[in-house]
């Protein structure tokens, strides 16, 4: 929420500077997001007088001006404004000044062959309004040479405060002033509410037929108003809050909302037909809101309607066809209390936000409805004239107030600050609480967030100052600290570090996907009913869509090689699945003199990455089975799975299916892998220290075997079978050659296997080696392999 310092001081009598106000706001829990001084944007702009104006020799619509900016050195300026003339006093931007509207830095230049120094400025160029048809015209007696920011009294800093959802009382400047006064920064000056009696009965029936959604609905008519621009002081305050002044009637309602946190609405009475009623919408009813969009309503929503139909989405946004215009002469003022839960659900269902909704769904002060209507009536009568009617009060306000039993000793116990009892009482009373002698505290109607004793302690502590809470270290056990990471967290860290060490770049993507990207991976099981955007609607079934989108963005920006990984959760029908995803695209190695062209990634590159990461996670990769069925998004002939047993799939890897790559606008071969970290069996309990490494006393022995095998036999199956045939002697088995062609029967391939043997307490004899070789050959025969002659 934004407001100017002068606006704050309308409700707070204080001499505090903007820095002191900001420090106090942060100290009491109202976070200041920024401070902006409008005068800073006007540096380099001065009051100046046009001395002469002559036609441009090369352009019909331009003039060549001589401008006096007060330094005694008139400058030549080329200007295209139709109102530029000799004697005009306006605003001149000197060389080096930055135009607020477009960020352009002014400099000496030639326009159609004529030198121009600086610029005479319009209202729009200085962001002081929307008028850009001519340059600013100031009074003739405006002091030439004075900084325009000083002349316009623009040095009024604007504060931007982040209001948390529980602080509905601070959604108006007056509420913030009350908090600052309680923190001893000044004296609170509550708004003076006038008494305005009606001179005639309200001619329009007002009622509420939906007491659940709109418990109270107040209104009155003002006849004979004259709509037009609002006063300068009001426009200045609205602009400081980020609101665009529209017209006096609309600006008055916005001013009340921003000043007091009380939304209201003004209808053009001539556009209404019959009684104005707060009721539930009918299923399928439509309304065109002030933003120009049509909305389809349901019976779960509250609306303001008359005999002709819906005029207002209650508590959120008014209708386009009943709003006030320049021709409006009679208005109906509406000020109501809407149930916060109903407003929140309606706004979510319609995906419609507004300043009114942000206040109503937090909960406005129900007791302020009469005062709010009186203040709004007074603003309109003073600004637009007119004659108000009597007030119609329909429904019953929810004015029940909570009472909380308070214990002053709990302030030190819960808040960490020992505050004297009389100081606690003074703080609570300054915030509007009523404190009885027995410490029964009655909560004000504008503090819907207060529920119990702990909330009262929070109020005392934040006003004393959150920075006064003493930092107290947590107790720590003696000795060496025990690990705090869970086994899953440790596993994630190991895999993440291993991936980064292997040259992969970590990506962090949203857990939500567009529907189109989810469909490329079989569709997502879970979709959000009210996503913040359609591109974040489906909870991801895989990490690969996000990684592929990242690859596509990098490739579009000229990246020649992309190596990405991500560790996160995927959302399946029955659980969340912890997964590591890898995508390799583009060049594996750039072109070089030895090859002449760049090397490309293939499925074996991802297999190597997967095996390395599984090893880092503590998996014995030598015993893993390589099988198919990687998934429909992989190329069926260039992909596989790694399994620990036939059923436990640890990873899937391979070339991405061309159709999947096309869905992400990716060309060329894309290599991907998924490691299912939750499928890795947890390690069994072991001692704190691993056993000491004892190197073997004798040298290892290697033996090579060449086998003829069916060409469809996976080489990994043969390697695994041989390694398991004599675990006492065989410590490693490695495939080092594959050959098909001359000398090899059709339908078969030759696989060359290196077997490493490790003797124990004595060297192998020829008989020992022959026995081991026989066992190797026999084991290979079980896979259909025969020893090649």
């Amino acid at each position: 929420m934004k407001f100017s310092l002068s606006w704050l001081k309308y409700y707070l009598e204080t001499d505090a500077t903007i820095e002191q106000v900001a420090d106090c706001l942060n100290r009491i829990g109202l976070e200041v997001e920024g401070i902006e001084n409008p005068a800073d944007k006007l540096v380099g702009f001065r009051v100046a007088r046009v001395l002469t104006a002559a036609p441009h020799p090369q352009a019909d619509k331009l003039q060549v001006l001589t401008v006096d900016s007060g330094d005694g050195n008139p400058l030549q300026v080329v200007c295209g404004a139709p109102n530029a003339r000799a004697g005009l006093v306006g605003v001149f931007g000197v060389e080096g000044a930055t135009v607020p509207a477009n960020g352009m830095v002014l400099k000496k230049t030639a326009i159609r062959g004529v030198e121009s120094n600086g610029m005479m400025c319009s209202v729009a160029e200085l962001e002081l309004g929307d008028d850009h048809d001519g340059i600013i015209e100031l009074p003739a007696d405006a002091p030439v040479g004075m900084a325009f920011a000083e002349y316009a009294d623009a040095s009024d800093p604007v504060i931007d405060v982040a209001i948390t959802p529980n602080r509905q009382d601070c959604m108006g400047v007056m509420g913030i002033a009350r908090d600052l006064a309680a923190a001893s920064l000044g004296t609170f000056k509550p708004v003076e509410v006038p008494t305005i009696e009606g001179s005639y009965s309200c001619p329009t029936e007002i009622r509420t037929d939906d007491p659940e959604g709109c418990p109270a609905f107040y209104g009155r008519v003002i006849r004979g108003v004259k709509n037009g621009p609002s006063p300068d002081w009001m426009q200045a305050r609205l602009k400081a809050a980020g609101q665009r002044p529209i017209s006096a009637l609309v600006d008055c309602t916005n001013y009340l909302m921003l000043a007091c946190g009380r939304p209201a609405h003004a209808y053009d009475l001539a556009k209404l037909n019959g009684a104005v009623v707060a009721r539930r919408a009918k299923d399928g009813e439509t309304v065109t809101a002030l933003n120009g969009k049509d909305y389809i309503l349901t019976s779960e929503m509250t609306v303001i309607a008359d005999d002709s139909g819906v005029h207002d989405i209650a508590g959120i946004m008014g209708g386009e066809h009943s709003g006030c215009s320049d021709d409006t002469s009679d208005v109906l003022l509406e000020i109501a209390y809407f149930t916060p839960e109903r407003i929140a659900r309606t706004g979510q269902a319609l995906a419609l936000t507004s300043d009114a909704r942000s206040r109503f769904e937090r909960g406005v002060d129900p007791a302020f409805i009469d005062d709010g209507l009186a203040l709004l009536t007074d603003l309109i009568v003073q600004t637009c004239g007119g004659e108000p009617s009597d007030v119609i009060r329909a429904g019953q306000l929810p004015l029940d107030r909570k009472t909380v039993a308070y214990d002053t000793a709990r302030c030190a116990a819960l808040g960490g600050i020992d505050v004297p009892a009389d100081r606690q009482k003074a703080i609570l009373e300054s915030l509007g609480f009523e404190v009885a002698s027995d410490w029964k505290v009655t909560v004000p109607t504008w503090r819907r967030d207060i529920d119990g004793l702990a909330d009262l302690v929070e109020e005392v502590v934040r006003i004393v100052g959150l920075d006064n809470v003493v930092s107290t270290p947590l107790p720590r056990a003696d000795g060496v600290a025990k690990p705090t990471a869970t086994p899953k967290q440790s596993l994630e860290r190991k895999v993440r570090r291993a991936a980064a060490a292997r040259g992969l770049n970590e990506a962090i993507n949203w857990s939500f996907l567009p529907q189109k990207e989810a469909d490329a991976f079989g569709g997502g099981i879970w979709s959000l009913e009210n996503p913040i955007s359609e591109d974040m609607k489906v909870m991801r079934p895989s990490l690969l869509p996000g990684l592929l989108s990242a690859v596509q963005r990098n490739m579009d920006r000229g990246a020649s090689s992309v190596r990405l990984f991500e560790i996160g959760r995927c959302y399946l029908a029955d659980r969340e699945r912890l997964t590591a995803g890898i995508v390799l695209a583009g060049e594996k190695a750039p072109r070089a003199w030895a090859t002449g062209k760049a090397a490309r990634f293939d499925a074996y590159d991802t297999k190597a990455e997967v095996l390395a990461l599984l090893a880092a996670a503590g998996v014995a990769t030598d015993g893993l089975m390589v099988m198919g069925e990687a998934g429909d998004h992989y190329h069926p002939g260039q992909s596989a799975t790694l399994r620990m047993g036939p059923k436990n799939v640890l990873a899937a890897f391979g070339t991405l299916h061309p159709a999947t790559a096309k869905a992400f606008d990716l060309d060329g071969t894309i290599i991907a892998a998924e490691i299912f970290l939750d499928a890795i069996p947890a390690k069994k309990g072991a001692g704190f220290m691993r056993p000491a490494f004892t190197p073997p006393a004798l040298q290892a022995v290697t033996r090579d075997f060449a086998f003829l095998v069916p060409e469809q036999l996976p080489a990994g199956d043969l390697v695994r079978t041989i390694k398991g045939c004599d675990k006492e002697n065989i410590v490693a088995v490695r495939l080092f050659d594959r050959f098909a062609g001359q000398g090899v029967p059709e339908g078969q391939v030759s696989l060359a296997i290196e077997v490493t043997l490790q003797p124990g307490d004595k060297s192998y004899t020829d008989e020992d080696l022959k026995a081991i070789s026989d066992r190797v050959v026999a084991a290979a025969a079980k896979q259909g392999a025969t020893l090649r002659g």
Side-chain angles (χ1 to χ4, degrees):
M1 177 179 170
K2 293 183 177 181
F3 54 90
S4 63
L5 181 61
S6 63
W7 196 358
L8 175 68
K9 290 185 175 181
Y10 182 79
Y11 299 105
L12 181 70
E13 187 175 336
T14 180
D15 295 326
T17 64
I18 187 67
E19 291 78 14
Q20 291 170 328
V21 170
D23 288 345
C24 188
L25 286 170
N26 285 320
R27 191 167 60 249
I28 62 177
L30 298 174
E31 182 184 357
V32 176
E33 293 194 317
I35 299 174
E36 179 182 308
N37 193 336
D40 294 341
K41 297 191 297 185
L42 300 176
V43 173
F45 294 91
R46 304 177 187 170
V47 177
R49 176 177 278 107
V50 179
L51 300 179
T52 64
H56 192 290
Q58 303 295 332
D60 295 338
K61 295 184 178 181
L62 298 178
Q63 296 187 74
V64 181
L65 312 179
T66 304
V67 176
D68 177 14
S69 61
D71 59 0
N73 182 27
L75 297 172
Q76 180 173 281
V77 178
V78 176
C79 179
N83 63 331
R85 62 189 183 277
L88 180 145
V89 178
V91 180
F92 174 66
V94 302
E95 186 177 348
T98 301
V99 180
N102 55 26
M104 179 178 66
V105 178
L106 300 178
K107 59 183 179 181
K108 183 185 296 186
T109 186
I111 301 177
R112 293 287 187 93
V114 177
E115 183 181 281
S116 181
N117 302 272
M119 183 173 74
M120 296 296 292
C121 303
S122 69
V123 170
E125 287 163 339
L126 298 185
E127 293 186 334
L128 301 176
D130 298 327
D131 185 10
H132 54 79
D133 292 333
I135 58 177
I136 297 173
E137 296 192 36
L138 300 177
D141 59 353
V144 174
M146 176 181 283
F148 179 64
E150 181 183 353
Y151 174 80
D153 195 22
S155 184
D156 189 8
V158 175
I159 310 169
D160 188 1
V161 180
I163 307 298
T164 53
N166 63 313
R167 293 306 308 277
Q168 69 280 348
D169 59 307
C170 288
M171 291 298 286
V173 182
M174 188 170 70
I176 292 175
R178 181 190 293 113
D179 264 25
L180 291 172
S184 303
L185 196 69
T187 303
F188 180 50
K189 299 188 297 182
V191 63
E192 295 182 6
V193 180
T195 301
I196 300 179
E197 300 292 341
S199 58
Y200 57 94
S201 298
C202 183
T204 302
E205 180 186 357
I206 296 173
R207 69 175 191 271
T208 175
D209 292 348
D210 181 18
E212 182 182 346
C214 178
F217 186 16
Y218 290 13
R220 78 186 327 165
V221 166
I222 303 180
R223 288 175 175 164
V225 300
K226 185 176 181 181
N227 201 8
S230 55
D232 290 344
W233 64 267
M234 184 181 292
Q235 290 194 30
R237 292 180 179 180
L238 292 177
K239 288 177 182 176
Q243 289 277 349
R244 181 176 62 89
I246 298 173
S247 68
L249 290 171
V250 176
D251 291 353
C252 286
T253 60
N254 287 336
Y255 181 83
L256 178 71
M257 174 183 67
L258 295 168
C260 305
R262 212 328 150 183
H265 193 67
Y267 297 94
D268 188 332
L269 188 63
K271 299 176 182 178
L272 300 177
N273 178 27
V276 177
V277 184
R279 62 169 174 82
R280 284 179 180 258
K282 300 171 185 176
D283 287 328
E285 271 189 311
T286 62
V287 61
T288 302
L290 286 171
N291 61 6
K293 296 182 179 180
D294 294 329
Y295 294 92
I296 301 174
L297 310 174
T298 72
S299 58
E300 297 300 315
M301 303 172 182
T302 302
V303 297
I304 308 299
D306 65 2
D307 293 349
S308 299
V310 176
H311 287 285
D312 191 340
I313 305 171
I316 299 179
M317 190 171 288
E320 187 177 55
H321 53 278
S322 61
C324 296
S325 65
D326 293 342
D327 300 328
T328 299
S329 59
D330 301 328
V331 294
L332 172 68
L333 304 185
E334 167 248 302
I335 190 164
Y337 181 84
F338 299 108
T339 305
E341 294 77 10
R342 177 70 61 79
I343 300 301
R345 286 195 295 267
T346 300
Q348 290 169 0
L350 298 177
L352 180 59
T353 60
S354 67
D355 289 324
R357 173 190 165 183
S358 67
R359 287 160 174 81
F360 276 122
E361 68 184 358
R362 282 172 164 89
V364 299
D365 179 9
F368 194 74
I369 189 168
D370 260 317
D371 291 348
L373 185 56
L375 289 169
L376 180 58
T377 302
D378 185 53
L379 280 172
I380 291 177
V381 170
Q382 288 189 35
T383 304
C384 305
E387 184 180 2
S389 73
D390 293 335
V391 176
I392 293 183
R393 299 174 177 85
Q396 186 68 38
L397 285 168
L399 295 176
D400 295 338
R401 298 175 63 182
K402 298 176 185 175
T403 301
V404 179
Y406 187 62
D407 179 2
T408 56
R410 299 297 290 165
C411 182
L414 294 179
I417 302 179
D418 191 6
V419 182
D422 57 345
R423 171 70 173 137
Q424 294 189 48
K425 181 178 180 182
I427 289 172
L428 291 173
E429 289 178 340
S430 66
L431 291 172
F433 295 87
E434 296 175 7
V435 184
S437 57
D438 60 352
W439 286 99
K440 292 288 194 301
V441 179
T442 303
V443 180
T445 53
W446 59 82
R447 291 304 301 270
R448 183 171 175 262
D449 58 307
I450 302 298
D451 191 54
L453 182 146
D455 297 316
L456 297 178
V457 169
E458 180 184 358
E459 292 302 297
V460 172
V461 170
R462 71 179 186 85
I463 295 300
V464 171
L466 296 172
D467 53 349
N468 290 318
V469 177
V470 179
S471 297
T472 304
L474 294 173
R476 178 173 176 173
D478 295 334
V480 179
K482 296 181 179 179
T484 57
T486 65
K488 275 193 175 182
Q489 290 171 333
S490 297
L491 178 65
E492 284 187 52
R493 292 175 184 175
K494 290 176 182 177
V495 174
R496 180 174 284 110
R497 289 170 181 166
R502 293 183 60 83
L504 301 177
N505 298 305
E506 184 174 12
I508 301 176
N509 292 299
W510 295 105
S511 297
F512 309 99
L513 302 171
Q515 184 69 56
K516 179 182 176 183
E517 293 185 5
D519 289 343
F521 284 78
I525 300 297
W526 306 103
S527 296
L528 303 183
E529 288 187 0
N530 185 35
I532 59 176
S533 78
E534 285 299 310
D535 286 342
M536 299 180 68
K537 183 176 183 179
V538 183
M539 300 186 75
R540 62 186 180 193
S542 168
L543 297 182
L544 295 186
L547 289 171
L548 292 172
S549 294
V551 168
Q552 186 255 340
R553 288 192 296 272
N554 281 274
M555 290 296 204
D556 286 350
R557 287 159 177 78
S560 59
S561 179
V562 181
R563 307 163 187 245
L564 297 179
F565 82 95
E566 181 177 12
I567 297 176
R569 281 157 178 76
C570 303
Y571 302 92
L572 309 181
D574 55 345
R575 70 189 189 281
E576 296 180 14
R577 184 159 210 187
L578 181 61
T579 308
I582 301 171
V583 173
L584 307 176
E587 299 177 356
K588 177 181 178 181
R591 61 182 181 176
W593 65 267
T595 59
K597 57 182 180 180
R600 298 285 173 175
F601 291 108
D602 59 28
Y604 293 105
D605 293 312
T606 49
K607 181 182 179 183
E609 299 296 339
V610 169
L611 289 172
L613 298 189
L614 286 174
V619 176
T621 57
D622 291 345
L624 297 181
M625 302 172 63
V626 180
M627 300 179 68
E629 301 176 4
D632 293 338
H633 49 278
Y634 287 103
H635 192 299
Q638 301 177 27
S639 61
T641 58
L642 287 173
R643 308 189 183 207
M644 186 177 285
K647 295 184 179 180
N648 187 13
V649 179
L650 296 187
F653 66 92
T655 303
L656 203 65
H657 196 289
T660 306
K662 186 178 179 180
F664 290 84
D665 295 326
L666 290 169
D667 297 325
T669 302
I670 308 297
I671 311 300
E674 298 162 284
I675 303 174
F676 309 115
L677 300 179
D678 59 348
I680 298 175
K683 284 189 176 181
K684 297 179 180 179
F688 179 73
M689 295 180 64
R690 71 183 73 159
F693 173 67
T694 304
L698 300 174
Q699 185 175 346
V701 178
T702 60
R703 286 290 183 270
D704 295 343
F705 297 84
F707 293 103
L708 293 174
V709 301
E711 61 181 359
Q712 70 272 17
L713 176 70
D717 291 354
L718 180 62
V719 169
R720 187 167 48 254
T721 299
I722 293 174
K723 188 172 182 179
C725 74
D726 190 346
K727 295 182 179 179
E728 183 177 347
N729 293 293
I730 298 176
V731 294
V733 179
R734 184 173 69 89
L735 173 72
F736 68 88
D737 185 48
R738 181 183 186 276
F739 176 75
Q742 186 176 0
V744 176
E746 186 176 352
Q748 291 187 320
V749 294
S750 173
L751 299 181
I753 305 292
E754 178 189 81
V755 179
T756 302
L757 309 175
Q758 179 60 59
D761 54 356
K762 64 177 183 177
S763 299
Y764 291 125
T765 64
D766 290 342
E767 292 76 13
D768 294 333
L769 294 175
K770 185 177 184 308
I772 295 172
S773 297
D774 291 342
R775 285 194 288 272
V776 169
V777 174
K782 296 178 181 179
Q783 294 288 342
T786 58
L787 191 65
R788 187 176 178 187

